[in-house]
Amino acid sequence: SLRPSLPPSLTMYGFSWVGPALIWLAAQPPIDGLLLSLATTQYIKALCMTVVGKEEVPPDVLLGWIISIMLLYFLALLSNRKGRLGIWGFIYFFASSDKKCRKPDDSTPAFTAPSCKRMKVVFIRHGESEWNAVFNEGSKLTMPIRFFSALFAELLMFFEQDSVFFDSPLSKVGINQSWELMRALAAHPTKTLDKASAAKPVKELEVAELVSIIRGDSGRSIVAASILRRAISTGFIALAPRFLKLSTKDKVQVMTSLQEISRNVDTLALAPPRESPQIPVAEGRQKYMGDIMSHFYRTRFDTRLNNGNKALGQKAIKRHEEFIKWMLQQNETDMVVVLGHSLWFREFFKSYLPKASNHVAKKEKMVNCGCVAFDFYRDSKNVHRIPPDSIKVIHGGFAEKKKKDKKA
């Protein structure tokens, strides 16, 4: 017979059903047709000759081999952290409901009440990522070339704590965009602010005064970042003068609550809970900046709020609320600088700007390396609000909506 008998160990441990199950499954269309077609290929005939000494094996045996190989591949993936992340990414893509956010309203907080809390907030979106460069930029005709080039690079770093697709790092364009933001911030004159002036809302400050607080020249500010590397690296480049000037006590608060809103694998972090993200290899090799970036990655993280990747059932509204709770507990600071992502930022604006507002922040993404400041309020009745007139563009701002050409 061409059909090998089951190993005695399988029968001994109650797996005698495997053989009949394979025979039944191999007979079901369209599996039966696929197995017959596969069995006629030269590669399968050569494999059969090597394994059992004949060019043909029954369909159920061939199916058993295929399933065994798939199981071995699955076990190999489980033995590798990136492989486990890939399996989780597959499950997350189809089973998550990440995009649910807070419904906006037109309630007005008691702005002048002593119990009403206010914080100046600055959003900085990351530069272009490798994921953006493959899927969102360039011609659609060349997208397959970009994809397979990235896939090849991914395979080469399979056993490394680095990736093109997972926790996608900055592309070369993204690195240059981060440098451009650094130069833009450095171009503003230094403004020396006393304690009272630094505490004023965004609405009452000039852009140069806001930039002085961001750079650490005046006032008190704290930097918070998504656990994804592209947001962190953007901040380390754009705010490098700040981190070089201030002591190592000026840590970046790495937070799961700032993780991007999406089901794509580029929004899944490589860093385990409570651990520091590792610098992307290409960024560590940058001329002039590589050593400084590596130093920042080693010394500038506070990882207490890195709870690992967003949970399957966790919705965006929960991460927004967790961030707001933490932000309004920062009583010793005048400003929170957030290094994050376009969808997270846009949904935040949509949730906390008035429902009646038509501000562009509710409709369009911030551009790569865009920098926007605003005031955030919450009163004793738990009314949250971003006043539309408090929003100030420091650099880049929001993307312009692409208009389709109309036929005459």
Side-chain angles (χ1 to χ4, degrees):
S1 172
L2 294 175
R3 181 179 291 110
S5 59
L6 286 172
S9 58
L10 288 179
T11 304
M12 183 186 305
Y13 291 107
F15 289 97
S16 57
W17 54 270
V18 172
L22 287 173
I23 294 172
W24 175 85
L25 187 59
Q28 304 306 306
I31 297 175
D32 57 345
L34 292 173
L35 290 172
L36 286 173
S37 298
L38 191 62
T40 61
T41 64
Q42 293 299 320
Y43 295 108
I44 295 301
K45 287 182 178 181
L47 177 63
C48 294
M49 180 62 72
T50 302
V51 175
V52 298
K54 296 181 180 296
E55 286 191 345
E56 296 181 3
V57 295
D60 57 295
V61 174
L62 181 57
L63 180 61
W65 290 355
I66 293 171
I67 293 175
S68 297
I69 291 170
M70 291 175 65
L71 287 174
L72 289 173
Y73 178 71
F74 182 75
L75 290 173
L77 288 179
L78 287 178
S79 68
N80 179 276
R81 171 167 172 73
K82 202 183 296 182
R84 294 193 297 273
L85 190 60
I87 295 170
W88 171 246
F90 180 83
I91 296 170
Y92 190 87
F93 182 84
F94 289 101
S96 73
S97 54
D98 190 33
K99 290 188 176 181
K100 185 176 180 181
C101 298
R102 177 181 182 270
K103 293 182 179 180
D105 58 57
D106 286 317
S107 301
T108 302
F111 290 113
T112 59
S115 59
C116 186
K117 291 191 173 185
R118 173 181 56 79
M119 180 62 72
K120 289 193 291 292
V121 185
V122 172
F123 280 172
I124 297 177
R125 184 193 172 189
H126 64 79
E128 181 193 84
S129 68
E130 292 285 6
W131 178 279
N132 295 148
V134 171
F135 296 105
N136 302 337
E137 302 297 333
S139 171
K140 290 183 179 180
L141 294 175
T142 59
M143 198 274 279
I145 298 174
R146 298 195 301 272
F147 172 74
F148 284 109
S149 297
L151 185 61
F152 181 70
E154 185 71 48
L155 291 173
L156 291 178
M157 59 178 73
F158 181 74
F159 294 101
E160 299 177 12
Q161 191 68 2
D162 199 2
S163 177
V164 175
F165 295 122
F166 299 106
D167 198 350
S168 188
L170 293 175
S171 66
K172 291 181 180 178
V173 171
I175 291 172
N176 289 334
Q177 289 169 337
S178 302
W179 278 97
E180 183 181 341
L181 176 56
M182 183 184 74
R183 289 192 291 267
L185 294 176
H188 287 276
T190 300
K191 296 287 185 178
T192 302
L193 303 175
D194 58 29
K195 187 175 181 180
S197 297
K200 289 180 179 179
V202 169
K203 186 178 178 180
E204 298 178 16
L205 293 173
E206 300 174 0
V207 169
E209 292 172 325
L210 293 169
V211 171
S212 288
I213 300 175
I214 294 170
R215 294 188 313 214
D217 301 330
S218 295
R220 302 166 299 174
S221 61
I222 188 170
V223 179
S226 159
I227 59 176
L228 300 175
R229 299 176 299 166
R230 56 187 177 275
I232 293 166
S233 292
T234 297
F236 279 153
I237 296 173
L239 303 179
R242 170 198 174 112
F243 292 118
L244 290 171
K245 175 174 59 180
L246 302 180
S247 73
T248 53
K249 292 181 180 179
D250 183 34
K251 303 285 188 184
V252 175
Q253 310 297 310
V254 184
M255 305 170 69
T256 296
S257 60
L258 292 172
Q259 197 169 2
E260 175 64 311
I261 301 170
S262 175
R263 295 183 294 179
N264 294 333
V265 297
D266 68 314
T267 68
L268 298 181
L270 291 170
R274 305 294 186 276
E275 292 188 19
S276 296
Q278 293 185 20
I279 185 171
V281 173
E283 292 174 21
R285 293 172 179 168
Q286 284 185 87
K287 190 176 182 180
Y288 306 123
M289 197 66 183
D291 290 342
I292 295 174
M293 289 283 286
S294 299
H295 174 70
F296 289 161
Y297 264 87
R298 289 194 304 269
T299 63
R300 291 292 180 147
F301 290 128
D302 184 332
T303 61
R304 288 175 293 177
L305 295 175
N306 173 12
N307 298 318
N309 277 303
K310 50 193 176 181
L312 189 62
Q314 187 186 75
K315 297 177 175 61
I317 184 173
K318 182 177 180 182
R319 297 206 298 285
H320 281 164
E321 290 172 347
E322 286 179 352
F323 168 72
I324 291 169
K325 180 180 178 181
W326 171 85
M327 173 180 69
L328 294 178
Q329 290 173 344
Q330 308 310 304
N331 299 319
E332 301 300 320
T333 191
D334 301 308
M335 175 188 286
V336 173
V337 180
V338 182
L339 309 173
H341 308 275
S342 60
L343 293 178
W344 197 102
F345 290 159
R346 188 182 67 186
E347 295 305 315
F348 192 88
F349 281 125
K350 286 171 66 175
S351 297
Y352 298 106
L353 278 164
K355 184 178 180 180
S357 172
N358 290 318
H359 199 285
V360 66
K362 296 173 66 174
K363 306 171 186 177
E364 303 298 333
K365 297 177 181 179
M366 289 175 58
V367 300
N368 287 121
C369 285
C371 181
V372 175
F374 60 91
D375 293 314
F376 188 90
Y377 291 84
R378 188 188 69 189
D379 68 9
S380 59
K381 294 182 180 179
N382 210 35
V383 176
H384 301 73
R385 184 62 64 234
I386 299 172
D389 59 354
S390 75
I391 299 176
K392 289 186 178 179
V393 172
I394 294 173
H395 178 73
F398 301 91
E400 294 183 6
K401 191 173 183 179
K402 295 180 180 178
K403 296 181 179 180
K404 295 182 179 179
D405 295 332
K406 294 182 179 179
K407 294 182 179 180

